[in-house]
Amino acid sequence: MGLERFEAGAGGSFKQLRGLEPEHTTSVHFIVDGNFRRAVKRFLDQEREMIRRKRELQLEHSQLKRDADES
């Protein structure tokens, strides 16, 4: 079909079941209230690290990786 890219959406758990690898996504928002903005930043800093570790684990156990290694 000539597609160069397929965006399967954020998240990784169910994408691997469909043969897709987890990909990093970003979004940009501006929060006006400084106190709320700092609270959101703290949460996102923690979440970002958790997601990075989870993605690494998912890629380590990737069926696509195993298939390529066996070839």
Side-chain angles (χ1 to χ4, degrees), residues 49-64:
E49 179 60 22
M50 186 268 312
I51 289 171
R52 184 192 63 75
R53 283 191 228 138
K54 183 176 178 181
R55 181 175 183 267
E56 283 180 6
L57 284 172
Q58 289 173 328
L59 290 173
E60 285 177 17
H61 297 93
S62 165
Q63 183 64 41
L64 295 174

Side-chain angles (χ1 to χ4, degrees), residues 3 16-17 22-23 27 39 44-45 47 50 60-61 68-69:
L3 298 176
Q16 281 193 307
L17 295 173
E23 289 294 330
S27 62
L44 292 177
D45 289 344
E47 184 185 47
M50 186 268 312
E60 285 177 17
H61 297 93
D69 290 344

Side-chain angles (χ1 to χ4, degrees), residues 21-37:
E21 297 294 354
E23 289 294 330
H24 178 74
T25 60
T26 59
S27 62
V28 179
H29 305 277
F30 180 74
I31 300 171
V32 175
D33 182 274
N35 290 329
F36 187 52
R37 183 172 54 246

